Amino acid sequence: MFLGKVFVTLKKSVLDPQGDTVRKSLHTLGYSMVEDVRVGKYIEVRLNSQTREEAERELDQMCARLLANPVIEEYRLEVEEDDGQ
Amino acid sequence: MFLGKVFVTLKKSVLDPQGDTVRKSLHTLGYSMVEDVRVGKYIEVRLNSQTREEAERELDQMCARLLANPVIEEYRLEVEEDDGQ
């Protein structure tokens, strides 16, 4: 069993109104040291693949096809062995 | 300048309907090796703090107060130096 971790972020050129809202809220709470906030997705996928390479290849496909929107988002993934939780 | 990375996930005991929907969609696409999916948030915060320790402390407070809901979510954070992008 493998655990895939996927980090989906908006491309730098894409505006992030949710991140802007969080930044303003943090300023209101007094955290004036906050310069910028970007909000993305963090997805954990448990895979019953045979090998780590297979798990990485499959997960990369899933990202391109479903988990991320390649027009506005980019993604990064990690796969580690998972011996149950 | 420091870059804080925050990973917010639902507690294990909390149901994740969004993750279930993604898992079913992946099965429909033919990825039958997928056992479980959990969807969380990934937040990048740029901080103008003096030291890494200060940045970590401030970011941890922000998570507890705003970025995560401690009733149903848990969070993990990393802080690294950021020399611009």
Side-chain angles (χ1 to χ4, degrees):
Chain A
M1 189 77 88
F2 294 91
L3 173 62
K5 299 178 176 180
V6 180
F7 310 87
V8 181
T9 49
L10 285 170
K11 289 182 182 175
K12 286 196 180 67
S13 56
V14 177
L15 289 176
D16 181 4
Q18 191 184 0
D20 286 344
T21 304
V22 172
R23 179 176 50 78
K24 285 173 193 156
S25 299
L26 288 171
H27 284 179
T28 303
L29 286 173
Y31 299 105
S32 56
M33 78 295 290
V34 172
E35 295 278 325
D36 188 35
V37 178
R38 303 281 286 180
V39 180
K41 279 179 288 183
Y42 170 61
I43 307 167
E44 288 186 343
V45 182
R46 277 200 174 68
L47 299 143
N48 202 357
S49 306
Q50 297 302 310
T51 65
R52 179 193 295 257
E53 289 68 31
E54 194 180 302
E56 280 177 0
R57 190 169 43 77
E58 288 160 346
L59 192 57
D60 190 64
Q61 276 185 16
M62 293 178 217
C63 288
R65 291 182 67 186
L66 184 80
L67 302 178
N69 175 351
V71 178
I72 56 168
E73 293 172 330
E74 52 197 10
Y75 62 87
R76 187 168 63 78
L77 58 89
E78 295 170 7
V79 172
E80 59 190 46
E81 293 213 32
D82 181 40
D83 48 0
Q85 36 187 331
Chain B
M1 188 79 87
F2 294 90
L3 174 62
K5 299 178 177 181
V6 179
F7 311 86
V8 181
T9 49
L10 286 169
K11 289 182 182 175
K12 286 198 178 66
S13 56
V14 177
L15 289 177
D16 181 3
Q18 190 184 0
D20 286 345
T21 303
V22 173
R23 179 177 50 78
K24 285 173 193 156
S25 299
L26 288 170
H27 285 178
T28 303
L29 287 173
Y31 298 105
S32 57
M33 77 296 291
V34 172
E35 294 278 325
D36 188 35
V37 177
R38 304 280 286 180
V39 179
K41 278 179 287 183
Y42 169 61
I43 307 167
E44 288 185 343
V45 182
R46 276 199 174 68
L47 299 143
N48 202 358
S49 306
Q50 297 302 310
T51 65
R52 178 192 295 258
E53 289 68 32
E54 195 180 300
E56 280 177 0
R57 189 170 44 77
E58 288 160 345
L59 192 57
D60 189 64
Q61 277 185 16
M62 293 178 217
C63 287
R65 291 182 67 186
L66 184 79
L67 302 179
N69 176 349
V71 178
I72 56 168
E73 293 172 329
E74 52 197 10
Y75 62 87
R76 186 168 63 77
L77 58 89
E78 295 172 6
V79 173
E80 60 190 46
E81 293 213 33
D82 180 39
D83 47 2
Q85 33 189 332

